[in-house]
Amino acid sequence: MEKKISYVAALICVVITGIVLWRMGLRAGWFWAGCAMFAAMLHIIFSLSPRQKEDRKYFMPMKTPTELVLLNEEQEKIASWYIYGKNGIVIGRDVGENQVTVNLDHTEYASMIDVEHAVLNYAKDAWYVEDISSKNGISVQKSDGRKYKIAYGKPCRLEQGDIIFIGLARLQIQ
């Protein structure tokens, strides 16, 4: 797509060159016609540049996770919650008086999950998980296999593929 835009811009520059030479004549318009032709050549040269693709991979933003998936022991999907566009998600058990976004009341390990166990917050283009005074704690397993115990009041940045352990329930951010 970017290549097509560059070619269109080059074509526009060539048309401008023709109009300038036609309206001003060669003697008066040679400078402006030369500038337009130079711009056209730059558009063509940069559209053919292989380095443009190499540079793009370093500056592309990371894909924002859009889903939180409950996994079983075999890493199979049991349930999922759409999180795109939200800025705060409460994880716990819905017992009527509270409202949680991710209700783990019907999971195998529900007895180990507090009513309001954890919160996911979206800030600065990333998701963070935080323990909100739970008894059984939170751990995060990064996509490279490292596992961390999250301390109360210390948010942990999440990346796509990370697994959050709420008690023993596994939630993967995708």
Side-chain angles (χ1 to χ4, degrees):
M1 182 69 177
E2 291 174 16
K3 213 177 231 190
K4 288 180 184 178
I5 292 171
S6 290
Y7 287 144
V8 168
L11 181 63
I12 290 170
C13 289
V14 170
V15 169
I16 289 172
T17 301
I19 292 171
V20 165
L21 288 176
W22 176 65
R23 296 289 289 163
M24 296 178 77
L26 184 59
R27 188 171 290 228
W30 69 269
F31 176 76
W32 297 112
C35 288
M37 283 305 290
F38 181 72
M41 288 189 300
L42 285 178
H43 279 290
I44 291 173
I45 289 169
F46 284 121
S47 70
L48 299 175
S49 171
R51 186 162 184 242
Q52 189 176 21
K53 286 183 182 174
E54 290 175 19
D55 289 345
R56 193 179 307 139
K57 71 180 176 185
Y58 297 111
F59 296 109
M60 292 225 8
M62 291 180 56
K63 186 177 175 190
T64 304
T66 59
E67 189 176 27
L68 193 62
V69 176
L70 178 65
L71 302 173
N72 64 11
E73 295 293 328
E74 290 79 35
Q75 304 295 336
E76 297 167 338
K77 181 178 177 179
I78 298 173
S80 67
W81 294 268
Y82 188 68
I83 62 173
Y84 184 77
K86 297 184 179 179
N87 57 7
I89 296 170
V90 179
I91 302 170
R93 292 183 297 118
D94 195 353
V95 293
E97 70 233 18
N98 67 328
Q99 289 200 331
V100 295
T101 313
V102 176
N103 184 9
L104 300 176
D105 192 30
H106 303 294
T107 63
E108 190 175 344
Y109 303 109
S111 63
M112 300 181 76
I113 299 169
D114 289 332
V115 173
E116 290 179 346
H117 199 104
V119 66
L120 289 178
N121 289 312
Y122 189 75
K124 298 182 183 175
D125 297 329
W127 282 101
Y128 294 85
V129 65
E130 189 173 350
D131 188 348
I132 50 177
S133 70
S134 65
K135 293 179 213 139
N136 293 312
I138 299 172
S139 297
V140 174
Q141 182 176 352
K142 297 303 220 173
S143 54
D144 64 1
R146 294 177 293 153
K147 194 171 181 180
Y148 301 96
K149 177 95 170 132
I150 305 302
Y152 171 73
K154 302 284 183 182
C156 175
R157 183 183 175 129
L158 297 172
E159 297 172 358
Q160 202 159 16
D162 290 352
I163 298 175
I164 307 163
F165 288 85
I166 307 291
L168 293 175
R170 302 167 189 222
L171 293 167
Q172 185 175 40
I173 191 157
Q174 297 182 348

